[in-house]
Amino acid sequence: MKTHVKALVVGGGAVGCGVAYHLAKAGWETMLIERDELTSGSTWHAAGLLPLFNMGYATTHIHKYSVDFYKSLEAETGLNAGFAVVGNLRMAQTQERMDEYMLYSSVAETADVYHEFLTPAQMKERWPLLNTEDLRGALFHPQDGYINPADVTQAMAKGARQRGVDIVRRLQVNGYKWTGSEWIVTLEKMVEKGGNLVGSGELVEIRAEHVVTCTGNHAQRTARLLGIKIPAIPVEHQFIVTEPDPMLVEYRKNNPEHPVLRDADAKWYVREERGGWILGPYERGAPARFLYDVPETFRADLFPLDLERIEEEYMSMIHRLPSSETVGLKDDFNGPICYTPDGNPLVGPAPGLRNMWLAEGFSFGITAAGGTGYYLAQMMVEGEAEIDMSSLDPKRYGNWMTTEYAVRKNEECYEHVFILHHPDEEREAARALRTSPAYDRQKARGAQFGQINGWDRPNYYGPVDAPADFDHNSRSFRRGAWVPYAVAEAEAVRNTAGLIDATAFTKHLVRGPGATAFLDWFTTNKLPKVGRINLTYALTPTGTTRTEYTIVRLAENEYYIISAGAWTAYDQDYLLKCAEDKAPEFGHIDIHDITTQWGVFAIAGPNARAILKEIVKDADPETVLGNKRFPWLSMRNIELGMCPVRAIRVAYTGELGWELHHPIEMQNYLFDLLMEAGEKHGMKLVGGRAQNWLRQEKSYRAFGTELGRDATPLEAGLDRFVDLEKDFQGKQAMLDTGIRAKCVTLLIDGPADADPWGKEALVLNGEKIGRLTSGGWSVGFGKQIGMGYVRPDLAEVGTKLQVRMFRELYDAVVTEDSPFDPTNARIRVDG
Ligand SMILES: Cc1cc2nc3c(=O)[nH]c(=O)nc-3n(C[C@H](O)[C@H](O)[C@H](O)COP(=O)(O)OP(=O)(O)OC[C@H]3O[C@@H](n4cnc5c(N)ncnc54)[C@H](O)[C@@H]3O)c2cc1C
């Protein structure tokens, strides 16, 4: 057995084998260790479905890669993994569900995933056992199906071995120690005792430059060993297998196998199994398991069946497949299935640790194993994956995350697998948890909150006396009931003033002798002078965008840097690691996360200055906010009533405005003061949805949509924030990458009842030539707006394209950057 390797993969389930295979394929000397037998975790009891359907861009790519890859494995390994390419039929009982499929169709088109739409009559003709009476239609993927989970895992393991991977079983990791250049991993030989798997006391050590943990249901133990938090906690998931159904057996004499059937509105999947059916429900009330550890007694075991819990889904299967009514049950499975609070796995660098990679929390691990291996190996070997993997990054949850939070969210996530996935969906579990002090005041004024990174932030302000079901009804794939409220808020910002709570912004203080040299190297733009601010970007070593920062220079060697609220731990991890690497070269750099010490209100609109003048305390209140004393893109310490405020003259909405950073404990005082002063100037409270529309009118890119690790800032069209005169991290790689696609803003003549969500395909002469990354309604232009990436030759202003929405094509035209007030006259206005 090797004791020194480049990469050590921990865990021999589908995911671990997929990762080991791809690391070896990428040329790394790799070893995989498994505490028990390969596939003995959740993998052995999976139903083996490989659904291509997924609403996320990264996950769609991952699933697509796996499905294609699994088809090629037999030729490579000689092992048949039993891939039944029977197709996958997602039925819709309602028009809302059809709308969901039509939105999915846009995502699928951007990732080249083939799919079809079928009518109830077409379904009935092909699969007469189906009751299609109450169906509206279906989405059909003819190219996926199901596979034998153990066999595909063994095939990946064989492929890995053929590429030199050492796979060792019955070794359990008991400890990790980082030496500064490699991991010393302590392992214990495991033995069987009375049916349990226990440690033998015999220890071995393996040294590895990189470690990937793929420990499935054991993620909490892994988290403890590493001293980090991993919100992967399994939930019970059951499926049942029926006796042969005589009508199915008869049908199959002359017909091919049924596709995997999904009645999403009834919350189940069904597939054929030896003349009978497998029913897999995603029912209410499935409990989380193994909150702290997997007991020694639980090996390749199952929980008892809870038939009562799935009665509703069982009955609805009988409704959809009436021939199953008289068929008895043959077998049942109730096993742990790992979840995370948002349902996406945790794939990428572990927080705070070097060369430690996580591939944890998979609820569709059979489907995702191949693609995860492929893209994770790219990240590890080449520095970045070809797609932006940030939606899967383990650091999308911060240290605020607790076991109970993960339990509540993971249970909710399981139950929500088949709910309608509206893009404006907000889930209720574990709310409100992180709130700014003004939360109650905002709520009393009708705020409807959305949760991001644990924070409850106003999405929009609805009617104060709304009926109890208002929030629920406001969701839609087209235009939710919230839209008129967001329109009024956007108009207020354009015409009078709006007040936005931006407290969740990530805020770091960077100071010390090395701070200036470090930030100069770390970011693309020139550093601002003292008292001034700049927009700038930190790049990955491969030259793509890692983080967008607003940098405020407080003193010669002291900076207040602000980034997106959703990404605190993600931004912090990179900042700290880069600073640690550079301190020997640049001198000591002190970094503090001060996110929760400072509240932020953004005030914007033509009346913003008049409102602040009412409450500002200064020897000369008339001039303190004027262009001379307080120019655009500068910072001043001012006093609003009794509140000391670090005011920053920027506005993400494109209007005259300030961000008012204030001591968090004074937030309610400041809120009341601003509300009172704003009243006579027509100021409205404004939520994140209106703000998102307004920033698109100014072509302000957002992190997670236009900005990510799959595009350089030059591709994002941010050349003016990139100082090519200086040296900075990722510069050469950025230049070498060239321009593969270009970010543009589009004005769209869309449908009468819907706006784009930023998931849609962009089309020219019937050919897909790009995709939207943001979308919405423009109050400035009275039509739909969007931002996205297109082929570079199509980025010219005036280029006419089309956007596919609800399977129809709508005209769109590439506009100049910042189509609303392109000269920024409104932002710079004096007074
Ligand atoms: C009833 C049911 C049906 C399912 N159906 C599907 C489906 O149709 N399609 C689909 O895609 N997914 C399905 N799933 C989910 C799927 O089973 C999992 O997502 C997948 O198996 C996860 O694979 P994994 O490799 O991450 O974890 P696991 O298979 O659990 O593997 C983790 C491995 O790590 C090992 N390990 C842990 N800690 C250590 C350590 N310290 N040292 C050494 N080894 C360690 C464990 O022994 C284990 O073998 C289903 C799940 C259930 C419960």
Side-chain angles (χ1 to χ4, degrees):
M1 189 181 92
K2 288 178 185 156
T3 54
H4 212 128
V5 287
K6 175 94 176 164
L8 181 71
V9 177
V10 183
V15 173
C17 292
V19 171
Y21 171 96
H22 284 93
L23 280 174
K25 192 171 181 185
W28 275 20
E29 185 201 16
T30 303
M31 182 172 185
L32 182 147
I33 54 133
E34 161 58 47
R35 65 188 291 280
D36 199 343
E37 297 294 334
L38 295 186
T39 78
S40 64
S42 272
T43 295
W44 75 271
H45 54 58
L49 314 184
L50 302 176
L52 282 164
F53 181 90
N54 197 285
M55 282 290 192
Y57 186 71
T59 9
T60 297
H61 277 81
I62 288 173
H63 288 193
K64 181 171 188 299
Y65 177 90
S66 295
V67 168
D68 294 342
F69 167 61
Y70 296 159
K71 286 176 183 163
S72 69
L73 260 184
E74 186 177 352
E76 185 181 335
T77 63
L79 293 183
N80 180 345
F83 193 166
V85 187
V86 293
N88 181 349
L89 186 74
R90 296 183 88 91
M91 297 169 275
Q93 293 185 20
T94 64
Q95 187 52 45
E96 273 287 272
R97 186 65 73 179
M98 286 305 287
D99 279 359
E100 180 184 51
Y101 294 165
M102 287 194 273
L103 179 62
Y104 163 75
S105 173
S106 301
V107 179
E109 187 175 358
T110 63
D112 299 322
V113 175
Y114 179 77
H115 59 283
E116 299 167 9
F117 280 80
L118 298 180
T119 63
Q122 287 169 320
M123 283 186 263
K124 190 72 189 170
E125 199 189 326
R126 285 176 75 169
W127 303 292
L129 294 185
L130 272 183
N131 170 13
T132 57
E133 270 169 16
D134 54 349
L135 292 180
R136 299 295 289 255
L139 174 77
F140 185 47
H141 283 107
Q143 291 165 348
D144 70 15
Y146 64 90
I147 203 160
N148 186 320
D151 291 349
V152 73
T153 306
Q154 294 291 358
M156 287 191 284
K158 183 169 180 197
R161 281 195 197 96
Q162 285 173 348
R163 291 170 188 278
V165 176
D166 205 1
I167 297 182
V168 187
R169 290 162 295 142
R170 297 291 169 91
L171 270 187
Q172 173 176 275
V173 172
N174 278 357
Y176 297 97
K177 195 170 158 216
W178 175 243
T179 63
S181 58
E182 61 182 6
W183 285 96
I184 300 177
V185 182
T186 310
L187 302 114
E188 183 173 16
K189 288 197 176 160
M190 304 299 281
V191 289
E192 297 223 23
K193 205 171 180 182
N196 293 348
L197 190 71
V198 296
S200 66
E202 190 183 337
L203 300 179
V204 287
E205 263 184 18
I206 296 175
R207 287 167 178 260
E209 216 175 288
H210 291 260
V211 174
V212 190
T213 76
C214 314
T215 55
N217 303 317
H218 297 254
Q220 292 315 307
R221 184 167 182 274
T222 301
R224 255 198 330 276
L225 292 178
L226 293 173
I228 60 172
K229 292 188 172 188
I230 304 179
I233 292 181
V235 174
E236 281 188 21
H237 177 42
Q238 14 190 18
F239 66 81
I240 53 174
V241 189
T242 74
E243 296 283 1
D245 172 346
M247 289 183 76
L248 172 62
V249 173
E250 190 55 32
Y251 166 85
R252 282 298 309 285
K253 285 182 182 157
N254 302 309
N255 293 288
E257 187 172 340
H258 281 81
V260 175
L261 305 170
R262 282 190 163 79
D263 191 337
D265 301 295
K267 294 181 151 191
W268 53 249
Y269 60 79
V270 164
R271 76 162 167 88
E272 287 188 24
E273 172 72 10
R274 293 169 207 266
W277 305 101
I278 282 182
L279 165 72
Y282 281 85
E283 75 281 16
R284 262 188 292 267
R289 290 291 198 140
F290 309 146
L291 272 52
Y292 301 97
D293 225 337
V294 182
E296 261 175 14
T297 48
F298 196 97
R299 292 181 66 191
D301 291 308
L302 292 168
F303 308 116
L305 175 74
D306 187 343
L307 203 50
E308 237 170 68
R309 214 167 65 212
I310 60 172
E311 198 182 327
E312 204 179 300
E313 289 78 16
Y314 200 169
M315 296 314 289
S316 70
M317 172 183 78
I318 292 170
H319 168 75
R320 189 64 58 220
L321 287 165
S323 65
S324 67
E325 183 168 8
T326 53
V327 182
L329 279 190
K330 190 169 81 176
D331 212 348
D332 59 81
F333 293 78
N334 183 4
I337 184 166
C338 229
Y339 265 83
T340 63
D342 64 6
N344 270 349
L346 303 152
V347 182
L353 304 173
R354 303 287 180 153
N355 294 6
M356 177 59 69
W357 305 82
L358 305 185
E360 303 283 1
F362 285 84
S363 58
F364 278 94
I366 312 304
T367 322
T372 299
Y374 175 68
Y375 291 112
L376 183 59
Q378 283 185 346
M379 289 170 87
M380 294 173 65
V381 176
E382 293 162 33
E384 278 305 326
E386 67 203 44
I387 54 167
D388 183 1
M389 295 282 282
S390 56
S391 59
L392 310 186
D393 195 279
K395 297 173 294 296
R396 61 189 192 276
Y397 301 95
N399 266 340
W400 53 268
M401 200 280 303
T402 56
T403 307
E404 186 173 340
Y405 175 83
V407 165
R408 288 203 208 176
K409 291 305 272 188
N410 294 6
E411 286 177 349
E412 176 189 58
C413 199
Y414 174 84
E415 190 177 313
H416 278 49
V417 163
F418 277 127
I419 65 146
L420 288 159
H421 292 293
H422 295 106
D424 54 354
E425 176 196 1
E426 291 292 350
R427 298 187 179 180
E428 287 310 314
R431 305 270 301 276
L433 182 61
R434 307 180 77 201
T435 58
S436 58
Y439 173 87
D440 288 334
R441 283 165 160 76
Q442 291 159 353
K443 196 169 182 182
R445 288 164 173 84
Q448 297 291 325
F449 295 89
Q451 197 184 46
I452 193 132
N453 192 13
W455 288 96
D456 263 57
R457 303 194 301 192
N459 277 336
Y460 70 100
Y461 289 79
V464 177
D465 48 1
D469 63 351
F470 180 84
D471 190 29
H472 173 72
N473 289 338
S474 72
R475 301 206 310 246
S476 170
F477 293 97
R478 294 173 185 257
R479 259 183 214 139
W482 56 268
V483 168
Y485 299 95
V487 167
E489 290 167 22
E491 283 171 349
V493 174
R494 291 277 175 255
N495 301 325
T496 52
L499 188 70
I500 299 162
D501 186 346
T503 297
F505 272 168
T506 298
K507 307 154 206 112
H508 282 97
L509 192 65
V510 181
R511 63 185 175 196
T516 299
F518 167 67
L519 286 176
D520 198 39
W521 166 84
F522 185 60
T523 61
T524 57
N525 203 349
K526 279 189 182 58
L527 288 181
K529 296 191 171 72
V530 175
R532 303 286 298 189
I533 70 171
N534 261 350
L535 195 65
T536 189
Y537 298 88
L539 304 190
T540 64
T542 56
T544 55
T545 310
R546 182 59 170 68
T547 298
E548 179 181 59
Y549 284 110
T550 301
I551 290 197
V552 184
R553 192 169 192 164
L554 300 175
E556 202 46 40
N557 272 326
E558 187 171 345
Y559 299 83
Y560 179 61
I561 66 174
I562 307 154
S563 55
W567 300 95
T568 307
Y570 176 83
D571 289 347
Q572 183 178 55
D573 189 67
Y574 193 56
L575 181 66
L576 288 175
K577 284 177 179 164
C578 288
E580 191 181 270
D581 288 344
K582 285 293 183 183
E585 190 179 331
F586 296 140
H588 180 70
I589 308 152
D590 216 13
I591 296 178
H592 298 279
D593 174 8
I594 49 172
T595 300
T596 52
Q597 293 170 30
W598 288 83
V600 184
F601 291 136
I603 185 167
N607 297 347
R609 186 181 273 124
I611 295 166
L612 294 184
K613 265 191 191 172
E614 303 247 356
I615 52 176
V616 71
K617 302 291 169 194
D618 188 81
D620 186 3
E622 267 313 302
T623 62
V624 64
L625 298 167
N627 281 0
K628 195 156 176 229
R629 287 181 64 195
F630 205 149
W632 183 39
L633 300 179
S634 65
M635 183 284 293
R636 299 284 179 267
N637 288 312
I638 60 171
E639 293 183 0
L640 295 178
M642 292 185 288
C643 185
V645 171
R646 178 176 287 168
I648 297 171
R649 188 160 165 201
V650 283
Y652 194 49
T653 52
E655 293 292 339
L656 171 71
W658 284 264
E659 277 177 15
L660 307 170
H661 295 240
H662 53 271
I664 197 103
E665 71 277 17
M666 294 192 182
Q667 179 164 90
N668 281 340
Y669 165 77
L670 182 62
F671 182 82
D672 294 343
L673 199 67
L674 286 163
M675 289 303 289
E676 201 187 331
E679 207 175 350
K680 67 176 176 218
H681 296 280
M683 186 181 81
K684 243 176 127 43
L685 286 167
V686 172
R689 289 188 178 153
Q691 191 186 22
N692 181 43
W693 291 346
L694 291 167
R695 62 107 189 156
Q696 291 178 61
E697 294 180 349
K698 294 296 294 173
S699 303
Y700 293 153
R701 283 78 171 154
F703 193 79
T705 54
E706 291 71 58
L707 301 176
R709 278 149 46 189
D710 52 355
T712 69
L714 301 185
E715 291 173 316
L718 296 165
D719 310 42
R720 65 191 184 283
F721 304 108
V722 178
D723 176 14
L724 289 175
E725 301 291 305
K726 71 170 195 179
D727 198 22
F728 54 83
Q729 159 153 261
K731 178 179 168 186
Q732 196 52 49
M734 174 193 76
L735 294 172
D736 293 346
T737 300
I739 306 293
R740 300 161 297 182
K742 194 90 192 166
C743 183
V744 293
T745 305
L746 296 132
L747 286 173
I748 302 158
D749 292 310
D753 63 345
D755 305 314
W757 292 103
K759 291 175 179 285
E760 295 77 3
L762 292 168
V763 176
L764 179 65
N765 300 327
E767 186 200 341
K768 181 203 71 175
I769 47 79
R771 66 180 179 114
L772 286 186
T773 44
S774 295
W777 177 254
S778 162
V779 291
F781 294 95
K783 55 168 65 176
Q784 286 94 343
I785 192 163
M787 296 178 73
Y789 281 84
V790 296
R791 254 177 26 208
D793 58 302
L794 298 173
E796 286 298 311
V797 174
T799 305
K800 290 188 168 45
L801 303 173
Q802 289 175 308
V803 179
R804 179 127 35 217
M805 291 174 66
F806 300 100
R807 303 179 69 211
E808 302 283 336
L809 289 172
Y810 294 92
D811 289 340
V813 62
V814 175
T815 68
E816 62 184 319
D817 232 37
S818 183
F820 183 82
D821 184 26
T823 60
N824 292 330
R826 297 169 74 98
I827 298 178
R828 292 171 203 265
V829 74
D830 203 0

